[in-house]
Amino acid sequence: MAPRQGPNDDRTIAPGQFAGQPQAPGVPQQRPAPPGQAQPAGHGWSADKTMVPGIGMPDEQLQAPAGARVAAPPAAQVPAAQVQVQAPAGAGDLTPELIETPVWTETMLQQAGIPIVDVPFVTVGGGIGSFVTTDYLRIAGVPPEQIRVLSNLDFPYQTYEYLTRVSQIPDHARIRSDSSSRPDNIWGFPSYALTETWRQKTPAHLIHLLLEPVWADYWTPLRSTVFGSIDKESKRIGYDKMRVKGVVRMVRKRYGGGYFTILTPPEGSSPTKRVAYRSRFVHLAVGYPGLRYLPDLQDFRERYQDYQHVVNAYEPHEHVYETLKTRPGTVVLRGGGIVASRVLQRLFDDREHYKLQTNIIHIFRTYIEGSHGPGPWMRRKGDHGWAYQGFNYPKSVWGGQLKAQMRKLDGDDRAKLYKLMGGTNTPKRRRWQDQMRAGRAGGYYRDMQGIVEKVEPAPDGNGVVSYVTGKAGNELIRSDYIIDCTGLEADISQHRVLADLLQHTGAYRNPLGRLEVERHFELKNTANGDGVLYASGATTLGGYFPGVDTFLGLQIAAQEIADDLARRGWCKKIGPGRSTSQWFKWAFNKPI
Amino acid sequence: MVPTLTGRIQTRIVLLATVGSVLTLLVTPLLPIHAPLGTAYKTTFIILATVIVLGIVWEFIYHFLMQWRWEKDWPTNFGLITLVPEGLVVWLLLNAKLVPGIHGKVPLAAFLIDFLVVWIGVWLVANGPMRVPFLRWRFHGGRLA
């Protein structure tokens, strides 16, 4: 991992490039950012009395909507010399005092020259987690003026699109998600299968749905169906109007209640380096903190500066497949999850389509030999190294008895149930099983248990050698490439916003090491006056609800958050009447 | 569906009592029952009530069977297939004259049409439209209260 950046060296992070990581080769740069947006007057959370409304930078400088109120310190109150000393790069940067102080006042920001924008609800991240939460709130009747999405992304699925694409889910392929897990539709009805049935005028999808999972694989939606539907819903709820481009640096408590969220707008789009969003509510949905590289592979890459022969499946690695089209080769695959299955399928497909002679050696650190679990009521299928499961978690975590069970557990008991139902797994799809069977029979696919001690360049300079110890003894495996499919598991402290949160707001870790949240996704120990800090998504894995890092999990979190906000009197609770009327608006694509 | 036991029972009672009643009201006049409409309605609504009451017992059995599934789910087709054992038991009870309030013989065709229309209608509603008014239902294991 690259060292964490200092407070003054923010950069816009490209999709797929996580906090604190070098940009992966081939990742497109961000498009030029739209102008920043600010809070129209009259809808903001109670403005602080120390502010002087109407005084500050001209609205047009931030290109804010008409009526927007951007509060900046009056020049007379800020000694010019002090600004110069504390923010030599220009007015409006973080100062050592701000960085070191957990609770901020308006005066501190004024002295630093950082303008303040008022908005009651801020969501940080701008990915699918922010999108579904915003969607819920909009459907609950919250006007767009009361929500701001602070994000370095241009559209909600930008990171997801990148990660799925490089991990071998092309546009025409289907993602691993249930038919009724729709980020664009809070009701999950009609399901994606119904939508595709309607669009393609074929009953095949419904028949498939009727046969799953016993007589057919789980039906899953096309990647393009998912993205297209999110685009449509984005337009319907006016998502782009709420989105403010930039990189969030930190969230700090405000003296008197609520929070300040510091945004670094794209260079040239704002007169100051930072803008502070003052809000009663903050929602964090920043996604995975980063890629986790296996230690031996990271060591190899750093020592030999070789980023070609050892790749992570979440990095662009098309060169591996292209080279294998030109000559026979051996690939070592590491990992037993869905990404390993996808990469394996790509290798098998290419082998079949281009008549290649690729050999694959698949190393499982934890090799599953058969059905496993503590008893007949808790046994998961598995074989040849894999643990099989339709989706990321057993289905009932999204609403059934496992969800109800986990909701009651704390500490070690919760960690134990996570361990029981967790572990890397992949769906048992018929096509993948056929391909692996053919590979084993043909001698070009071998699965094995093993722990790789180290990786070195091959003595002849061609490829790499893995030193493997396993149940069958020690073995040296030479290959042309190693593809690490072990996933997105970096520690949350690798993400700068989360690290800051742990250090300064009172947030702490759950039994799995991520952020501990309440059942309604409020970050524990971070309440401030009447302000609430929420978090959803991968950073909260290990909480009372297990399936957080999934489409449906994000929707469940959004529902809990919206209901909590309604309990606090900030928005309406969506009852059966409103739910039905809003569904009709969704069905007829009526803007709200 | 990913039901809890309480959710199963609540959903069954509510859906049969509402959607089931509406469908029973609509389908009864069309059934081949050679009796006054009032008698026909009495018969079909008693059958509906029987399905509700017996269904509570069935839900305990389904919940028990579900424990052998790793996912702890109840696939869509299970909800359809279970019409066979449930329908059979109700039919056997009718034939044995063990259903209180129904003394005459119910024609098989009438029973099949009535039972299938109500079952499939409820099953279709449970697998989609139910989520429209009841937004939290699917995330609460089928519980409505």
Side-chain angles (χ1 to χ4, degrees):
Chain A
M1 286 289 174
R4 279 169 54 195
Q5 295 163 311
N8 296 318
D9 54 2
D10 279 336
R11 288 172 299 171
T12 299
I13 299 174
Q17 182 199 6
F18 299 93
Q21 287 207 306
Q23 182 169 346
V27 178
Q29 295 293 327
Q30 292 282 323
R31 294 199 293 265
Q37 294 170 327
Q39 158 71 7
H43 294 285
W45 180 50
S46 58
D48 189 271
K49 287 173 185 170
T50 60
M51 285 170 48
V52 183
I55 299 179
M57 71 193 66
D59 286 348
E60 61 272 21
Q61 279 187 266
L62 273 181
Q63 299 180 31
R69 184 179 64 208
V70 179
Q77 292 180 8
V78 183
Q82 196 175 345
V83 171
Q84 283 170 6
V85 169
Q86 292 188 345
D93 201 358
L94 292 167
T95 61
E97 184 197 14
L98 284 169
I99 289 167
E100 287 159 16
T101 311
V103 182
W104 292 354
T105 62
E106 278 74 8
T107 309
M108 291 165 71
L109 288 163
Q110 285 168 359
Q111 286 173 347
I114 298 175
I116 298 170
V117 180
D118 266 332
V119 65
F121 187 93
V122 160
T123 173
V124 177
I128 296 172
S130 288
F131 174 74
V132 296
T133 307
T134 305
D135 197 31
Y136 247 98
L137 294 177
R138 294 284 292 111
I139 288 168
V142 178
E145 296 79 21
Q146 301 214 7
I147 301 170
R148 281 296 172 269
V149 182
L150 308 184
S151 175
N152 64 326
L153 303 176
D154 292 320
F155 45 91
Y157 54 86
Q158 193 171 357
T159 301
Y160 185 84
E161 191 276 339
Y162 165 77
L163 290 172
T164 48
R165 177 164 40 82
V166 295
S167 64
Q168 302 308 308
I169 309 180
D171 226 17
H172 61 269
R174 293 179 179 275
I175 64 167
R176 186 194 194 186
S177 190
D178 184 67
S179 176
S180 53
S181 302
R182 297 189 60 151
D184 68 304
N185 177 329
I186 67 170
W187 303 270
F189 176 75
S191 65
Y192 281 130
L194 270 172
T195 298
E196 288 192 20
T197 296
W198 178 259
R199 196 175 294 157
Q200 296 167 20
K201 311 292 180 211
T202 166
H205 299 297
L206 292 183
I207 292 168
H208 187 145
L209 206 59
L210 194 60
L211 296 176
E212 72 165 32
V214 182
W215 300 287
D217 296 338
Y218 277 111
W219 189 94
T220 55
L222 283 172
R223 190 171 172 268
S224 54
T225 302
V226 175
F227 297 161
S229 64
I230 293 177
D231 284 338
K232 192 173 167 186
E233 182 68 354
S234 283
K235 282 192 190 115
R236 193 179 79 87
I237 65 168
Y239 187 74
D240 281 349
K241 282 186 279 181
M242 295 175 270
R243 191 171 54 82
V244 183
K245 192 73 184 277
V247 177
V248 170
R249 170 67 181 83
M250 57 179 57
V251 179
R252 291 289 173 91
K253 287 180 178 173
R254 171 185 170 270
Y255 183 79
Y259 308 88
F260 289 113
T261 303
I262 294 293
L263 182 83
T264 310
E267 211 171 324
S269 67
S270 166
T272 56
K273 182 160 185 180
R274 319 282 181 175
V275 176
Y277 280 77
R278 180 169 59 178
S279 64
R280 180 179 169 192
F281 305 108
V282 176
H283 169 240
L284 294 167
V286 297
Y288 292 93
L291 289 178
R292 182 188 65 177
Y293 292 84
L294 290 168
D296 57 290
L297 299 183
Q298 182 66 11
D299 180 60
F300 173 87
R301 286 163 61 122
E302 284 175 1
R303 183 176 301 181
Y304 301 104
Q305 288 298 300
D306 182 347
Y307 295 86
Q308 294 296 309
H309 293 96
V310 173
V311 296
N312 187 290
Y314 281 116
E315 296 173 329
H317 59 279
E318 196 62 23
H319 68 276
V320 174
Y321 309 107
E322 291 305 316
T323 308
L324 290 169
K325 285 178 191 169
T326 63
R327 58 178 169 82
T330 300
V331 177
V332 162
L333 207 63
R334 308 263 300 265
I338 180 78
V339 175
S341 293
R342 298 279 191 195
V343 169
L344 204 49
Q345 183 188 344
R346 172 72 190 271
L347 292 167
F348 283 138
D349 284 352
D350 280 3
R351 201 178 194 284
E352 187 183 326
H353 294 155
Y354 303 106
K355 312 290 180 205
L356 308 182
Q357 295 174 52
T358 308
N359 290 306
I360 303 154
I361 299 169
H362 192 168
I363 304 174
F364 293 86
R365 186 184 176 92
T366 305
Y367 190 92
I368 308 293
E369 292 176 346
S371 292
H372 52 289
W377 283 9
M378 202 71 191
R379 290 189 79 74
R380 178 165 53 189
K381 287 180 182 170
D383 62 26
H384 290 287
W386 305 93
Y388 295 121
Q389 193 167 283
F391 303 100
N392 307 37
Y393 300 93
K395 278 194 94 173
S396 67
V397 306
W398 288 285
Q401 68 183 70
L402 283 174
K403 179 172 185 264
Q405 198 179 341
M406 190 70 89
R407 204 172 166 85
K408 296 174 192 155
L409 301 179
D410 278 300
D412 286 347
D413 292 337
R414 203 197 302 165
K416 273 182 204 160
L417 187 56
Y418 265 100
K419 194 174 175 191
L420 197 61
M421 70 167 80
T424 309
N425 61 75
T426 196
K428 190 173 187 178
R429 292 189 182 156
R430 285 159 172 82
R431 175 169 172 73
W432 294 347
Q433 291 293 316
D434 289 345
Q435 287 183 320
M436 286 188 289
R437 242 189 319 271
R440 285 186 207 103
Y444 56 85
Y445 173 63
R446 176 186 164 207
D447 55 68
M448 61 178 287
Q449 189 279 328
I451 295 170
V452 181
E453 300 294 344
K454 62 176 176 177
V455 176
E456 288 184 346
D460 59 2
N462 289 323
V464 289
V465 176
S466 301
Y467 293 74
V468 184
T469 57
K471 286 178 185 168
N474 298 340
E475 195 174 343
L476 298 186
I477 298 174
R478 203 205 75 80
S479 64
D480 297 280
Y481 296 102
I482 298 174
I483 305 179
D484 172 11
C485 304
T486 51
L488 297 160
E489 298 286 343
D491 187 80
I492 55 170
S493 62
Q494 299 291 338
H495 194 290
R496 192 164 48 178
V497 175
L498 304 181
D500 191 84
L501 208 65
L502 288 168
Q503 198 179 347
H504 294 290
T505 62
Y508 61 93
R509 292 172 185 264
N510 66 29
L512 294 196
R514 311 271 179 108
L515 292 176
E516 175 75 338
V517 290
E518 298 280 4
R519 290 165 183 85
H520 56 275
F521 292 88
E522 175 183 351
L523 269 171
K524 284 189 179 179
N525 204 35
T526 62
N528 191 29
D530 64 352
V532 186
L533 193 51
Y534 300 101
S536 59
T539 50
T540 64
L541 181 67
Y544 296 106
F545 166 63
V548 284
D549 51 341
T550 63
F551 287 171
L552 208 52
L554 292 168
Q555 281 195 320
I556 288 170
Q559 187 176 91
E560 295 280 358
I561 291 167
D563 285 353
D564 189 57
L565 289 166
R567 275 192 294 274
R568 293 168 192 274
W570 187 70
C571 65
K572 294 175 202 160
K573 183 169 181 176
I574 308 175
R578 183 170 188 88
S579 181
T580 306
S581 64
Q582 288 293 318
W583 182 83
F584 277 103
K585 285 185 180 171
W586 179 91
F588 291 103
N589 197 27
K590 192 175 171 194
I592 55 173
Chain B
M1 272 189 74
V2 282
T4 58
L5 179 60
T6 322
R8 283 176 172 281
I9 294 169
Q10 287 185 11
T11 299
R12 173 179 289 253
I13 293 171
V14 169
L15 278 182
L16 282 173
T18 54
V19 178
S21 292
V22 171
L23 291 171
T24 302
L25 268 174
L26 294 174
V27 80
T28 301
L30 310 173
L31 297 177
I33 295 178
H34 303 295
L37 193 57
T39 310
Y41 269 126
K42 187 184 169 194
T43 302
T44 53
F45 271 97
I46 287 176
I47 290 173
L48 181 66
T50 307
V51 176
I52 293 176
V53 173
L54 289 180
I56 296 168
V57 180
W58 279 110
E59 294 300 355
F60 276 91
I61 295 169
Y62 300 151
H63 182 74
F64 177 71
L65 293 174
M66 192 175 76
Q67 300 313 306
W68 269 273
R69 291 184 58 75
W70 165 258
E71 309 270 354
K72 303 285 181 283
D73 66 337
W74 200 245
T76 307
N77 47 46
F78 285 20
L80 189 60
I81 291 165
T82 44
L83 76 83
V84 176
E86 292 205 31
L88 196 63
V89 168
V90 175
W91 175 246
L92 290 175
L93 289 174
L94 282 172
N95 267 358
K97 302 199 186 309
L98 291 174
V99 179
I102 300 178
H103 306 295
K105 187 170 170 54
V106 179
L108 178 61
F111 173 76
L112 280 178
I113 295 167
D114 178 36
F115 190 85
L116 286 173
V117 165
V118 170
W119 189 279
I120 291 170
V122 166
W123 175 76
L124 285 173
V125 171
N127 280 288
M130 180 75 174
R131 299 178 217 149
V132 172
F134 302 109
L135 189 56
R136 294 162 191 84
W137 172 76
R138 66 172 168 155
F139 300 145
H140 290 181
R143 280 186 296 110
L144 287 154

